Amino acid sequence: MDEPKLLPEWRQAVKDYLAAGFKPGDVISRSWFERHFDMPALDSDQPLTVAEFQERQFKWLQNMEAFRAELLEEHQICLANVHGTGYRVVPPGEQTSLAQDKFESEARKAYKRAAKTLRHVRMSELTDDQRKENMDAVAKLSMLRGMHKALD
């Protein structure tokens, strides 16, 4: 008799992943995940409505995030997206630089978003205290960015 499948789907996918013997450097295809998350392939002949596609994407993201978190936190296995292909099992020796590079990229984007929002304020509509608060925030962000750049 078949063993019952674990739910949600990502739990069974983790179990199957561990049993499959993937090694660092291997790329796991998107189709492997679609099968293990019990999802039709996007390239299948079955057309999806916009609502069905959005629901599918939401399910994909939920499963993928939980799957990746479980592998990372419980098994110290990091996966990196390989655009259009699947996910690569990151060798432990590359995991630190991958994490640092991702942080640097996300930090740069966050600094740019915050700076843009702080610079594009209708200053004429602010009180003196609010203008001071804005200028202090701009200075603080600039200082933090400078400290961050010094660490690069």
Side-chain angles (χ1 to χ4, degrees), residues 31-97:
S31 63
W32 186 94
F33 288 106
E34 288 169 337
R35 281 192 313 277
H36 286 82
F37 294 159
D38 195 26
M39 301 176 74
L42 279 179
D43 59 357
S44 71
D45 292 338
Q46 179 185 3
L48 298 175
T49 66
V50 171
E52 290 169 336
F53 177 78
Q54 289 173 336
E55 184 178 326
R56 183 194 186 283
Q57 290 303 95
F58 182 68
K59 181 180 177 185
W60 172 270
L61 289 173
Q62 281 183 312
N63 279 314
M64 200 67 223
E65 288 303 310
F67 179 87
R68 290 176 75 183
E70 178 79 8
L71 283 184
L72 183 62
E73 295 166 14
E74 299 302 322
H75 303 282
Q76 294 72 51
I77 298 170
C78 180
L79 297 180
N81 189 334
V82 179
H83 186 71
T85 303
Y87 287 81
R88 180 172 173 262
V89 182
V90 178
E94 296 176 19
Q95 192 169 329
T96 301
S97 62

Side-chain angles (χ1 to χ4, degrees), residues 2-15:
D2 287 337
E3 192 174 313
K5 289 200 173 225
L6 299 174
L7 292 175
E9 290 87 354
W10 65 265
R11 289 190 190 279
Q12 184 66 47
V14 167
K15 182 178 178 183

Side-chain angles (χ1 to χ4, degrees), residues 132-145:
K132 180 184 179 325
E133 178 184 13
N134 178 268
M135 291 189 322
D136 289 348
V138 168
K140 182 178 180 181
L141 183 66
S142 179
M143 179 189 68
L144 288 171
R145 181 63 184 136

Side-chain angles (χ1 to χ4, degrees), residues 20-36:
F22 290 110
K23 296 182 275 327
D26 287 351
V27 175
I28 306 160
S29 70
R30 187 172 178 90
S31 63
W32 186 94
F33 288 106
E34 288 169 337
R35 281 192 313 277
H36 286 82

Side-chain angles (χ1 to χ4, degrees), residues 102-137:
K102 185 174 180 177
F103 172 75
E104 291 294 327
S105 174
E106 290 174 1
R108 275 191 299 280
K109 290 175 188 173
Y111 282 123
K112 285 179 183 178
R113 280 191 306 268
K116 185 185 286 187
T117 303
L118 288 169
R119 279 195 316 267
H120 295 91
V121 175
R122 291 183 289 210
M123 298 298 253
S124 63
E125 296 180 23
L126 299 181
T127 66
D128 288 343
D129 287 343
Q130 290 169 330
R131 274 194 289 279
K132 180 184 179 325
E133 178 184 13
N134 178 268
M135 291 189 322
D136 289 348

